[in-house]
Amino acid sequence: MPTDKLIKQLKNIDTKRLAFHELVKSYQENLYWHIRKIVISHEDTDDVLQNTFIKVWNNIESFRAESELYTWMYRIATNEALTFLSQKKRRAIFSGTIENDYLINSLESDEYFEGTEIQLKLQKAILTLPEKQRLVFNMKYFDQIKYDDMSEILGTSVGALKASYHHAVKKIEEQLKEE
Amino acid sequence: MKKKKNILPENENPFKTPEGYFDYFSERMMERIDAENAALEDDSPAGIMRYLRPALIMAASFAAIFLIIFIPVKTIGPQLSSNNYLNDNDNVLLDYLHINERTIIEAFELDTAQIKYNNALVEEYLMTSISEYDLVENKN
């Protein structure tokens, strides 16, 4: 179904439920993988993904077609994931662990991680990046999201995103060379 | 120009999901939406009334029991109070005369104290109150 027709149906109370079901089916996988790379564990991703779609359901009436539906949903998903992560990190700091240790522990204990050794090294290297760089790297390297769309999702200029990605790649390569 | 060798591994996704996760996610999502909507309805005035209904029914029952007891007591009560020796009208009259119950009692006590007992009176009392049998019994 074309996106503008789907949006119309989502804003109509009689067709909202059916259209929303279709929306979830269409975007669940992309949003899931985007969130999963931020929060790492499957269970946490499931929670955040549900919260993201709840936000979409509650706010679809206020969605203006100034941005693409998918960038709007990516923005919600990113905010939800980062909010979730900051809460987890706060709890981790209170319990005396270093904030990134929480994510590395999640990665090492994740029963749904089936990567090779080099992929595990790569993921660990990604987790050492500052949050924004990590986001940019994942979105570009794994999801191949265009800089223009990324700019809309993250609210950062294309130039800054390119620079951020460049720094992220350099840091990761250095870490992989060291090991 | 020689292209720089890329040391990053293939950008394959190393993460997996539980089997069938995406097949059932939308159904689970719709269930959650329904639950959220139901919770919102519960917060509405109609929803609050649904929670308050048992308490209101109980309050109405107590009110009915109170009325069932109170109305007969209220109706019968004035009849019982009319049996008092001094009713409200009597008290008004006594106030007007500047006397009260104590004054009346004292007056009676004064009368009793002033009675002069003599043999004739005692004999008359005994003759009316005690039989000859009692007198013989006490003598023995």
Side-chain angles (χ1 to χ4, degrees):
Chain A
M1 187 192 296
T3 309
D4 53 347
K5 195 179 172 189
L6 185 66
I7 293 166
K8 267 185 192 170
Q9 290 188 356
L10 283 165
K11 290 185 177 187
N12 182 340
I13 196 143
D14 297 326
T15 52
K16 185 176 180 179
R17 201 183 146 81
L18 203 64
F20 188 76
H21 191 260
E22 181 146 341
L23 180 86
V24 173
K25 281 268 180 203
S26 305
Y27 291 95
Q28 59 182 6
E29 287 199 43
N30 285 338
L31 292 178
Y32 174 90
W33 293 119
H34 175 63
I35 295 165
R36 179 76 181 267
K37 286 183 207 91
I38 301 171
V39 300
I40 304 297
S41 107
H42 164 73
E43 281 74 20
D44 292 347
T45 306
D46 185 49
D47 287 345
V48 175
L49 184 61
Q50 286 189 42
N51 292 342
T52 300
F53 277 118
I54 292 285
K55 283 261 166 77
V56 172
W57 171 272
N58 290 333
N59 295 291
I60 192 69
E61 282 79 13
S62 63
F63 170 73
R64 301 278 170 265
E66 293 154 2
S67 59
E68 290 284 337
L69 182 62
Y70 101 95
T71 55
W72 180 67
M73 285 170 51
Y74 257 79
R75 197 158 60 233
I76 294 173
T78 308
N79 288 338
E80 283 295 309
L82 292 179
T83 305
F84 177 87
L85 212 55
S86 65
Q87 287 167 353
K88 284 274 182 183
K89 280 177 182 174
R90 218 173 297 147
R91 267 179 237 150
I93 290 164
F94 275 118
S95 66
T97 51
I98 301 163
E99 57 181 64
N100 269 2
D101 282 1
Y102 164 75
L103 289 171
I104 290 169
N105 289 342
S106 289
L107 178 67
E108 286 175 341
S109 61
D110 189 359
E111 60 177 308
Y112 300 112
F113 182 86
E114 294 179 355
T116 59
E117 201 176 326
I118 185 73
Q119 282 174 324
L120 180 64
K121 275 183 189 173
L122 173 65
Q123 287 300 322
K124 281 184 178 177
I126 293 168
L127 289 178
T128 63
L129 296 173
E131 206 161 64
K132 195 75 177 276
Q133 273 185 22
R134 189 159 75 90
L135 267 174
V136 174
F137 181 83
N138 280 330
M139 289 169 90
K140 188 70 195 161
Y141 187 73
F142 289 105
D143 301 337
Q144 283 106 40
I145 294 175
K146 288 183 217 156
Y147 280 118
D148 286 335
D149 291 343
M150 219 190 291
S151 170
E152 207 170 307
I153 294 163
L154 300 177
T156 312
S157 70
V158 171
L161 291 170
K162 282 180 180 174
S164 191
Y165 180 70
H166 175 73
H167 288 304
V169 171
K170 272 186 87 174
K171 279 184 196 173
I172 289 168
E173 281 181 340
E174 277 165 22
Q175 283 207 42
L176 291 178
K177 269 186 217 164
E178 280 172 17
E179 290 179 13
Chain B
M1 196 172 96
K2 192 181 173 186
K3 199 177 175 183
K4 191 184 165 190
K5 193 190 167 192
N6 188 6
I7 67 159
L8 290 179
E10 286 293 306
N11 57 356
E12 279 175 33
N13 180 8
F15 297 101
K16 298 286 174 283
T17 60
E19 213 178 321
Y21 173 73
F22 291 118
D23 297 338
Y24 304 107
F25 180 80
S26 57
E27 278 72 27
R28 285 201 300 129
M29 199 60 237
M30 295 319 291
E31 282 170 17
R32 173 135 182 228
I33 294 280
D34 291 340
E36 298 259 330
N37 286 343
L40 281 176
E41 279 172 21
D42 283 345
D43 289 341
S44 67
I48 291 165
M49 278 306 291
R50 196 162 60 207
Y51 283 115
L52 283 179
R53 191 177 294 161
L56 289 173
I57 290 169
M58 196 179 283
S61 306
F62 280 123
I65 291 165
F66 176 75
L67 288 173
I68 288 165
I69 296 167
F70 178 75
I71 290 170
V73 167
K74 183 81 178 166
T75 316
I76 299 163
Q79 291 169 8
L80 288 173
S81 67
S82 66
N83 292 335
N84 290 343
Y85 291 105
L86 291 175
N87 60 30
D88 289 346
N89 290 335
D90 292 336
N91 284 327
V92 170
L93 181 62
L94 290 175
D95 284 345
Y96 179 71
L97 294 170
H98 301 290
I99 56 173
N100 56 28
E101 287 176 64
R102 181 73 200 153
T103 319
I104 296 164
I105 291 164
E106 280 173 2
F108 276 114
E109 283 173 351
L110 191 67
D111 284 348
T112 313
Q114 283 174 345
I115 294 170
K116 288 179 180 171
Y117 297 103
N118 54 37
N119 289 338
L121 272 174
V122 173
E123 194 179 339
E124 190 186 333
Y125 171 76
L126 290 172
M127 289 306 287
T128 53
S129 306
I130 304 168
S131 65
E132 284 179 21
Y133 175 78
D134 290 333
L135 286 169
V136 172
E137 278 284 295
N138 284 331
K139 198 175 180 182
N140 291 333

